Amino acid sequence: MNPLDALRDAWFFFRQHLLQIVLLCLPFVLAEALVRQQLDSLVDAAKLPLYDVLLGLCFYPLYSAALILFIDARSRGEQPAKGALIAASLSLWPRFVLLAGIGTLAIMLGASLFILPGLWLMVRLVFSDYLLVLRGLSPLQALQESLQLTRGHFWPILACVLLLMVPTWGLGLWIGDSAADPLGRLALDLLLGLCQLFTTVVVFRLFMLRTGDNAAPLP
């Protein structure tokens, strides 16, 4: 499992299908960004991190599940309809929210003890979304299976995650500290959303390589 190969294949796929990905996912990303802007002006600053987590739990499962289903269909040479993908993501939403909530809580607890346990859990649970969406596992089963799949592959996955997440986190901090006007802030939020969508494609490629479902490069 070579992180650079996964990044290269994912970038090729993301670039080739950027318009379709934007049309499928960006409305949800935009809605999330607009709601976040409203929360910034309505909620006390001390409570914003909690509301931000809850907001992510509401929107992230929608566009993430739709994108995972889209990549899976394209990897098999299919051309799925956008409406069907969104309908499928809506049907998965309750279980995906539960999975994301459990995973987020576990990572936050690990990070509160020390940064490294949180980072370890983030890597070990990285395949859980894909197992729930593509294999129909329950949230707990998906978490357990992700722990199994990542065993012995921690360092390659960590290297790939850090290559993706460090720039994304840096962008997120910049957005948080930026004094840009609302439109500029919205544009930066959308850029951060695109980075997160690319991360989903990269981890999907790692998932394919690890499970052997389809070792060929993404089309």
Side-chain angles (χ1 to χ4, degrees), residues 9-177:
D9 293 343
W11 173 247
F12 177 79
F13 179 89
F14 191 76
R15 185 183 62 192
Q16 292 293 110
H17 300 88
L18 180 59
L19 180 59
Q20 291 172 289
I21 292 172
V22 166
L23 292 175
L24 177 65
C25 300
L26 209 61
F28 298 110
V29 176
L30 176 60
E32 182 181 15
L34 290 172
V35 174
R36 181 174 289 111
Q37 283 195 353
Q38 293 301 311
L39 288 176
D40 286 348
S41 60
L42 296 175
V43 177
D44 184 79
K47 298 180 180 179
L48 270 178
L50 174 60
Y51 279 91
D52 197 52
V53 170
L54 295 175
L55 182 63
L57 290 177
C58 289
F59 283 96
Y60 169 77
L62 291 172
Y63 58 78
S64 182
L67 180 56
I68 290 170
L69 291 168
F70 172 75
I71 307 167
D72 179 62
R74 292 300 300 130
S75 71
R76 292 182 278 106
E78 299 175 3
Q79 185 61 55
K82 184 175 69 171
L85 293 173
I86 292 174
S89 71
L90 287 171
S91 68
L92 289 166
W93 186 83
R95 288 190 295 134
F96 206 145
V97 169
L98 181 58
L99 171 67
I102 295 172
T104 299
L105 180 60
I107 292 169
M108 290 175 66
L109 287 175
S112 68
L113 297 173
F114 193 63
I115 293 176
L116 292 180
L119 188 61
W120 182 85
L121 278 170
M122 184 176 67
V123 172
R124 297 301 304 275
L125 301 180
V126 74
F127 293 146
S128 56
D129 295 357
Y130 306 84
L131 290 163
L132 182 141
V133 172
L134 299 178
R135 296 190 177 177
L137 300 185
S138 70
L140 290 179
Q141 288 174 330
L143 293 169
Q144 292 171 350
E145 183 66 17
S146 182
L147 289 172
Q148 294 294 324
L149 285 175
T150 53
R151 180 177 296 172
H153 297 273
F154 177 82
W155 294 111
I157 296 174
L158 176 62
C160 203
V161 167
L162 290 179
L163 285 170
L164 290 166
M165 296 309 297
V166 169
T168 303
W169 286 335
L171 179 60
L173 290 173
W174 181 43
I175 290 173
D177 295 335

Side-chain angles (χ1 to χ4, degrees), residues 4-14 201 205 209 216-218:
L4 294 179
D5 289 343
L7 286 167
R8 180 198 62 211
D9 293 343
W11 173 247
F12 177 79
F13 179 89
F14 191 76
V201 179
R205 181 57 179 157
L209 294 171
L218 289 168

